Amino acid sequence: MENILTIEHLSKSFTLHNINKHIKAINNVSFFVKEGEFVGITGKSGSGKSTVLRCIYRTYLPQKGHIVYNSKKFGPIDLAHAPERTIIELRKNEIGYVSQFLNVMPRTTARELVKHAILEMGREAEFADRETEKMLDHFELDRSLWDSYPTTFSGGEKLRLNIARAMVKRPRLLLLDEPTASLDHASKIKVKVLIEQLMKEGTTMLGIFHDLEFMQNLCNREYRIQDGQFVSS
């Protein structure tokens, strides 16, 4: 299997101007993810795990380093230096991102959220309707909730909707940013089942979790991060 993602010497820092403080979030991080793998990143809160994922998704722009993603459309491309238009295209069609938070427009239903994800890929409305229903069924979201606003959902329901919205695009690469944080045991089991289904479908995943027990028998490999640097697992 070839690498779908190769990270080289990645560094990101933040300046808190109000207190004149400079914080190094990650420093000289290098690793790789092969196509079809599930790779886990572990570490304490504040160690830099989320910063790594946000640099890959380009929510953050790194100061140094390279993030080479083997795109289906563009071929090998450095996400750290790619044009914004290219990043938007990849988010629409190839790279998904799921966190414990569901940020949505108010008064937008669960059905509309998933349908919009399909429509922005340029598909027709009739196709979007069919795929939306199939995906909401696939992720076991109660049919009585499909036309409800997610603000009323439980944490587990929001998470499943979040994953459904990301997976309806069938991304080649899915980034999971602590999606199980604060969920009860039953909800975590449901999430694990969903992730295993996605792995069987061939999605490559890079995930971070506080719950190390959750990651057992799930990840192919693990990296541990401490004070912004990768250390031996």
Side-chain angles (χ1 to χ4, degrees):
M1 286 288 187
E2 62 181 6
N3 291 355
I4 193 172
L5 198 63
T6 306
I7 313 296
E8 297 176 333
H9 310 298
L10 192 66
S11 297
K12 175 64 181 175
S13 58
F14 300 93
T15 302
L16 304 179
H17 296 284
N18 57 329
I19 56 173
N20 197 29
K21 188 175 182 180
H22 193 70
I23 299 172
K24 278 191 174 182
I26 53 173
N27 185 38
N28 201 33
V29 166
S30 298
F31 68 100
F32 65 90
V33 181
K34 289 188 176 297
E35 195 167 341
E37 278 192 315
F38 189 126
V39 172
I41 301 177
T42 60
K44 295 180 180 179
S45 293
S47 59
K49 301 187 303 297
S50 291
T51 300
V52 173
L53 258 63
R54 289 169 187 167
C55 285
I56 295 169
Y57 198 61
R58 257 281 284 276
T59 307
Y60 294 159
L61 195 63
Q63 269 91 13
K64 294 180 181 177
H66 302 281
I67 306 167
V68 180
Y69 166 67
N70 191 10
S71 166
K72 187 174 183 179
K73 180 174 181 178
F74 302 105
I77 186 168
D78 190 345
L79 301 178
H81 303 283
E84 194 65 29
R85 183 178 293 181
T86 303
I87 296 297
I88 292 170
E89 181 77 13
L90 289 172
R91 287 177 179 174
K92 284 182 178 180
N93 296 292
E94 295 193 34
I95 303 176
Y97 186 96
V98 180
S99 77
Q100 58 182 299
F101 306 109
L102 180 64
N103 297 317
V104 300
M105 294 287 289
R107 308 191 75 79
T108 304
T109 68
R111 188 195 300 265
E112 288 167 343
L113 279 171
V114 178
K115 182 178 178 179
H116 175 74
I118 304 170
L119 291 175
E120 73 175 3
M121 296 172 69
R123 305 306 296 261
E124 295 179 353
E126 188 177 330
F127 173 85
D129 285 330
R130 287 199 309 272
E131 287 297 301
T132 294
E133 294 195 2
K134 282 166 57 178
M135 189 58 68
L136 291 175
D137 265 334
H138 180 73
F139 286 100
E140 300 175 357
L141 196 69
D142 194 312
R143 281 177 172 263
S144 66
L145 298 174
W146 290 8
D147 295 307
S148 301
Y149 302 131
T151 50
T152 66
F153 289 9
S154 70
E157 289 162 351
K158 286 180 180 177
L159 175 58
R160 277 179 277 156
L161 176 58
N162 232 359
I163 296 177
R165 187 169 57 156
M167 276 310 302
V168 78
K169 297 173 178 288
R170 299 293 196 273
R172 296 181 70 243
L173 174 66
L174 182 59
L175 308 173
L176 296 160
D177 189 354
E178 299 193 49
T180 59
S182 304
L183 291 186
D184 60 32
H185 181 70
S187 294
K188 286 182 180 181
I189 294 299
K190 288 181 181 178
V191 174
K192 194 165 191 174
V193 170
L194 296 178
I195 286 176
E196 287 169 345
Q197 289 176 355
L198 306 185
M199 291 174 72
K200 288 177 183 176
E201 293 174 7
T203 296
T204 302
M205 284 182 259
L206 179 63
I208 56 179
F209 300 90
H210 273 306
D211 187 351
L212 300 185
E213 185 181 341
F214 179 90
M215 296 179 70
Q216 286 182 356
N217 303 318
L218 194 63
C219 291
N220 299 106
R221 291 185 298 110
E222 176 192 331
Y223 293 102
R224 188 159 64 89
I225 191 168
Q226 182 177 319
D227 298 326
Q229 293 183 307
F230 276 18
V231 294
S232 299
S233 295

